[in-house]
Amino acid sequence: MRSRDLAAKLPSTGRRLSFQWKIAAAITFVIAVASITLSTVMHQTFSHNQEDAARAAADRNLQLVLQDETGSMRALFRATTDGLDVPEELRQAVAGGKRATYLVDSGDQPFVWAAADVNTQVVAIRVPYTAQRESIASVDRTLRNATIAVIAAGAVLGVLLGLAMSYRLRSAARAARKVSTGANIRVRSVTWSLFDDEITELADAVDAMSDALRGQLDAEKRVTANIAHDLRTPISGLVGAAELLPPGRPTELVRDGVHKLRRLAEDVIEVARLDTTSEQADIQSVELAPVVHHAISTTGVECEVRVHGTPVSYTDARRLERIIANLILNARNHGKPPINVDVDHSRITVRDRGSGFTEEWLRQGPKRFQTDCVERGPNSGLGLGLTIVVGQAAVIGARINFSNHPNGGAVVTIDLPECPPDEFA
């Protein structure tokens, strides 16, 4: 049959952060660190250049004062020779006939001092440093604004890049999920890119895996169909031969086994037909109550039936009967009575009073040759009944939901279309 099994979900940690925001955060962080580092280096470089230029200018002026014999330069640069206002650190630095500069960058009026020890007398001048400090402040504002702009632009760029990559990955995930339901789609076709990258490489790997799995499934389907068809003729002969046996308990056992074998072969053939995806439904307006009662009568199982009103749906009556009959037989074989069948509008519900479906089975859904509980014993069947249910439901456009009732027992609901569908899968 077509792959309509319920996909098992991985446990969630509850802490989910989109790949898009991870990329945006990483890009923004790198750009922020680079911008702040560059701004800091530029600030330090410009500040040192301004300070060095101011010290050099003050030292040149001091040399002019020391070389002036007329005293005009002393008056021009307001040189002091008493050393009373000279910072103590500067006086100590020029002791012994040295020349030095000193920056006082505090307060409202910063200065650069230049001093020299001439015959044990400290000659000093000072040059205002206000213009340089304002220049540094202006550069700092420019760097700060530029840094903020670059970080904002980096954040936008990160979001856009993350959005593009996230979109491609989400498209690939959606395509992969469609492939898992049997759709013929290539994951590579939805992961568009001008150049090949890791995402396209992943898409190619998924497509290759899909092709390999599809080939294996097709081979298994062909083998199953061939075996079932090859068994039909000898099984028909066995059925005819069993009818000719004389009455007795051994004959009854042989007939019962032969009939089970024939039903199994028919189920396998039906599964093989559903696998070909070529089954077409005969859709028409159908009253559900007669269909349900007829399906129940074919099983010979006692059921409690409730019909609300006169429900009508657009479906294939023969396939719907097959679905209902299989659900009732499954409830009889694996559940406990009473079995309730409820028909309400376009929904049909079948419930038993058994142990219900296991959690693992509900996660995985029905699979052929696998029943929903390993403790059911030798009469648990081969798991084809519910597999056929899901396959036939897909053909008629119905939705099947498997669950457990809070008060115990398995519950299966069939949601049928209320209007003629345009197309059936």
Side-chain angles (χ1 to χ4, degrees):
M1 61 167 288
R2 281 167 288 184
S3 178
R4 299 283 182 175
D5 297 343
L6 302 177
K9 296 182 178 179
L10 294 176
S12 174
T13 60
R15 298 185 299 272
R16 184 175 181 271
L17 181 60
S18 174
F19 185 63
Q20 170 187 349
W21 298 114
K22 291 180 181 178
I23 293 178
I27 293 177
T28 303
F29 176 76
V30 172
I31 291 179
V33 171
S35 300
I36 293 173
T37 303
L38 181 60
S39 298
T40 302
V41 171
M42 293 181 66
H43 164 78
Q44 296 292 340
T45 301
F46 185 75
S47 298
H48 292 161
N49 290 339
Q50 291 293 311
E51 180 180 342
D52 292 343
R55 289 177 182 270
D59 186 64
R60 284 196 302 270
N61 294 337
L62 176 63
Q63 293 183 45
L64 292 175
V65 170
L66 295 177
Q67 295 171 2
D68 179 40
E69 297 179 356
T70 63
S72 59
M73 290 297 179
R74 290 176 178 265
L76 178 63
F77 294 110
R78 298 180 182 180
T80 177
T81 56
D82 54 17
L84 296 179
D85 296 331
V86 179
E88 181 63 28
E89 294 84 350
L90 183 57
R91 285 201 303 267
Q92 294 178 1
V94 300
K98 298 178 182 178
R99 193 173 73 250
T101 58
Y102 184 76
L103 173 63
V104 179
D105 191 12
S106 60
D108 297 333
Q109 294 182 344
F111 293 95
V112 174
W113 286 87
D117 185 359
V118 181
N119 300 324
T120 68
Q121 185 181 31
V122 177
V123 179
I125 64 171
R126 63 182 184 181
V127 178
Y129 193 69
T130 305
Q132 289 82 350
R133 188 164 71 174
E134 291 176 354
S135 297
I136 294 173
S138 177
V139 170
D140 287 345
R141 286 192 298 269
T142 302
L143 291 175
R144 181 173 62 252
N145 295 335
T147 300
I148 294 174
V150 170
I151 293 175
V156 173
L157 176 62
V159 170
L160 293 177
L161 290 176
L163 180 62
M165 296 186 67
S166 178
Y167 176 80
R168 294 176 62 199
L169 289 173
R170 291 178 188 275
S171 299
R174 286 193 296 267
R177 282 193 289 268
K178 290 181 180 179
V179 170
S180 69
T181 62
N184 187 14
I185 185 173
R186 308 295 293 178
V187 178
R188 173 64 182 268
S189 64
V190 299
T191 56
W192 50 267
S193 177
L194 296 177
F195 306 98
D196 290 346
D197 54 14
E198 288 80 0
I199 297 179
T200 55
E201 184 179 352
L202 175 62
D204 290 338
V206 173
D207 288 336
M209 179 182 65
S210 174
D211 293 339
L213 292 177
R214 186 178 287 110
Q216 292 179 4
L217 289 176
D218 290 341
E220 292 177 1
K221 292 173 184 177
R222 287 193 297 270
V223 171
T224 301
N226 293 336
I227 292 175
H229 282 288
D230 290 343
L231 287 177
R232 172 177 283 181
T233 300
I235 290 176
S236 298
L238 288 176
V239 172
E243 296 298 331
L244 300 177
L245 294 176
R249 180 59 181 167
T251 299
E252 293 179 0
L253 294 176
V254 171
R255 289 176 179 174
D256 183 60
V258 169
H259 285 297
K260 287 183 178 180
L261 184 60
R262 184 176 65 178
R263 286 195 298 270
L264 174 60
E266 291 174 352
D267 287 346
V268 173
I269 292 174
E270 183 173 0
V271 169
R273 286 201 306 268
L274 293 172
D275 281 338
T276 63
T277 68
S278 61
E279 292 287 283
Q280 298 294 326
D282 181 17
I283 302 300
Q284 53 186 296
S285 179
V286 175
E287 290 189 14
L288 297 182
V291 174
V292 171
H293 285 293
H294 185 266
I296 295 174
S297 66
T298 60
T299 64
V301 180
E302 293 186 3
C303 300
E304 298 179 2
V305 183
R306 291 189 304 173
V307 180
H308 303 270
T310 308
V312 177
S313 176
Y314 286 88
T315 186
D316 186 325
R318 180 181 63 84
R319 296 181 187 275
L320 180 59
E321 285 185 5
R322 176 69 163 148
I323 293 173
I324 296 173
N326 276 20
L327 291 178
I328 292 173
L329 291 175
N330 183 77
R332 181 196 65 183
N333 295 336
H334 306 312
K336 294 180 181 179
I339 299 173
N340 298 103
V341 180
D342 188 89
V343 185
D344 187 4
H345 292 86
S346 61
R347 170 172 290 187
I348 302 174
T349 305
V350 179
R351 179 197 171 193
D352 61 51
R353 299 301 191 279
S355 59
F357 300 109
T358 63
E359 292 297 327
E360 180 180 0
W361 190 94
L362 288 176
R363 287 194 300 268
Q364 297 179 352
K367 295 183 178 180
R368 66 190 69 180
F369 307 115
Q370 177 180 332
T371 57
D372 59 316
C373 181
V374 296
E375 299 176 354
R376 284 178 174 170
N379 297 323
S380 59
L382 297 176
L384 295 179
L386 295 184
T387 302
I388 293 173
V389 165
V390 174
Q392 293 288 10
V395 174
I396 65 176
R399 293 193 304 272
I400 302 291
N401 181 63
F402 301 94
S403 61
N404 291 324
H405 196 276
N407 296 328
V411 179
V412 183
T413 58
I414 311 169
D415 289 311
L416 299 167
E418 298 182 358
C419 57
D422 295 332
E423 182 177 337
F424 289 90

